[in-house]
Amino acid sequence: MLRILQVRDDAGRLQVVAWDGENPARAVNGVSSTYDLAKQAIAAGQTLAQRIEAAGLGDPVDLEKAADEERLLLPITHPDVAHFIVAGTGLTHLGSADGRDKMHKAAQAAEKPTDSMRMFLMGVEGGKPKPGEAGVQPEWFYKGNGSQLRATGEDLVSPAFALDGGEEPELAAIYLIGPDGTPFRLGFCLANEFSDHVTEKGNYLWLAHSKLRQASLGPELLVGDLPDHVEGTSRVRRGDSVIFEKPFLSGEANMSHTIANLEHHNFKYELFRQPGDLHVHFFGTATLSFSEGVKTEAGDVFEISAAPFKLPLVNRLTVAADKPVTIKKL
């Protein structure tokens, strides 16, 4: 499977790298970024693989050395971060409702299904429509723009006002909007959709606040179709100890929605089909250390790995200094 990465070379210059996961990775000739490569492919009416073949490959790139030296970057960036939209969908995975349901039941005295459970069951019943049909719409949330994204090896910074900073191991897809408004899916990434679960637990209507946090993407942009079954491992390390370790499942075999249905309900809005914009869309998870009673601390390290991705996603939790904001009147 073709993988596209962005790597800093020894001189600090950005390289676009193509890799099949087995043979040596090689730099792609004639492109300045993955964004540039994707725009060239759309303009030429080619796939990413065809565009890379046409451009040709250059020198081999030592990805292991690049990882050790923290030169692996986000797999794609936009020259203007305001045009990189970061959003996602939740309650999309079989089993994903349990943790959310436990969190939100405290806000409801009556013994009745929570809104989270109702939405999950709607997805189970109507989230996988026949081709050409629209299924039930999922939960949707906004995380910010490209300034919120972090690469493997970088810190995930929780705001000083946050009540929690917890990992969400999942998959995300990257899209570029073509000149005529057509969304092009470039591929899939390993992801950590970092959130504030204590805030969300306080009231499910605070979900929107809890999601306005940084997030991280693995270094590989996996081109082509995602396997139906993806199985990975989520770990939280504190010093020399692993304080949480659990498998997580993704891929459509483990989801209550098809990826096509999630894409339809994101890109049905013309707002999200502006030519030249990039989008990263997080597809949800069913595994949280928070649901197992883990309270993360500054310095904890999140490690997420999953086949068919070859490289892990590793980030350390830090907390930002308090920065009071003064509103001025003009």
Side-chain angles (χ1 to χ4, degrees):
M1 299 180 72
L2 173 62
R3 296 153 168 80
I4 298 173
L5 304 88
Q6 292 191 140
V7 181
R8 291 282 181 198
D9 66 13
D10 293 334
R13 296 167 298 203
L14 189 150
Q15 293 177 302
V16 178
V17 174
W19 185 38
D20 65 4
E22 300 296 337
N23 297 304
R26 305 186 79 88
V28 180
N29 296 326
V31 293
S32 59
S33 64
T34 305
Y35 181 69
D36 181 36
L37 172 68
K39 288 204 303 181
Q40 288 185 20
I42 292 171
Q46 297 175 317
T47 65
L48 288 170
Q50 289 169 338
R51 188 64 213 149
I52 289 171
E53 184 177 5
L57 297 176
D59 295 334
V61 176
D62 187 337
L63 294 179
E64 184 175 351
K65 180 183 178 185
D68 289 343
E69 297 176 355
E70 297 186 346
R71 291 188 284 107
L72 297 179
L73 307 176
L74 289 167
I76 192 166
T77 48
H78 195 290
D80 180 356
V81 292
H83 287 276
F84 198 165
I85 293 87
V86 185
T89 42
L91 296 169
T92 53
H93 284 63
L94 300 173
S96 65
D98 184 56
R100 291 280 293 277
D101 196 48
K102 289 177 182 176
M103 288 166 57
H104 299 165
K105 270 186 175 175
Q108 297 192 24
E111 283 296 325
K112 62 180 181 179
T114 64
D115 285 342
S116 292
M117 183 60 74
R118 290 173 59 222
M119 181 164 285
F120 170 74
L121 294 174
M122 289 170 65
V124 171
E125 182 176 345
K128 292 188 174 181
K130 296 177 182 178
E133 297 181 0
V136 66
Q137 60 187 354
E139 175 194 51
W140 183 93
F141 56 83
Y142 172 70
K143 285 193 69 70
N145 60 34
S147 66
Q148 297 283 73
L149 296 174
R150 295 294 177 266
T152 187
E154 293 186 316
D155 290 349
L156 281 170
V157 183
S158 186
F161 57 79
L163 303 179
D164 174 54
E167 85 297 339
E168 294 202 12
E170 54 193 88
L171 302 180
I174 305 293
Y175 304 85
L176 172 59
I177 309 304
D180 64 352
T182 299
F184 288 85
R185 188 203 306 137
L186 308 186
F188 296 91
C189 298
L190 203 57
N192 185 347
E193 196 268 291
F194 181 68
S195 299
D196 183 341
H197 301 108
V198 173
T199 292
E200 181 189 350
K201 182 180 179 180
N203 189 311
Y204 78 98
L205 294 176
W206 286 339
L207 173 74
H209 289 277
S210 75
K211 293 297 186 182
L212 291 174
R213 301 292 186 270
Q214 294 182 350
S216 59
L217 299 177
E220 300 165 77
L221 180 63
L222 194 67
V223 177
D225 293 328
L226 187 71
D228 284 341
H229 177 80
V230 175
E231 183 171 352
T233 302
S234 177
R235 295 184 185 88
V236 181
R237 294 186 182 272
R238 182 170 295 163
D240 295 330
S241 301
V242 176
I243 64 169
F244 174 81
E245 181 171 355
K246 194 170 181 178
F248 72 94
L249 302 177
S250 194
E252 287 191 355
N254 302 296
M255 295 172 66
S256 53
H257 289 260
T258 62
I259 289 171
N261 191 53
L262 301 179
E263 291 174 333
H264 164 76
H265 285 294
N266 189 73
F267 291 110
K268 68 185 180 185
Y269 297 101
E270 189 173 357
L271 170 68
F272 297 145
R273 302 195 307 273
Q274 301 300 306
D277 280 3
L278 283 175
H279 290 253
V280 56
H281 191 91
F282 293 85
F283 287 123
T285 189
T287 302
L288 306 173
S289 66
F290 179 80
S291 297
E292 304 293 327
V294 174
K295 173 63 176 174
T296 58
E297 299 176 357
D300 288 351
V301 175
F302 305 121
E303 295 182 359
I304 300 171
S305 58
F309 299 93
K310 299 291 187 178
L311 303 174
L313 173 58
V314 181
N315 303 98
R316 184 171 65 103
L317 171 62
T318 63
V319 178
D322 186 26
K323 295 181 180 179
V325 177
T326 300
I327 310 302
K328 296 184 177 181
K329 180 171 63 177
L330 287 179

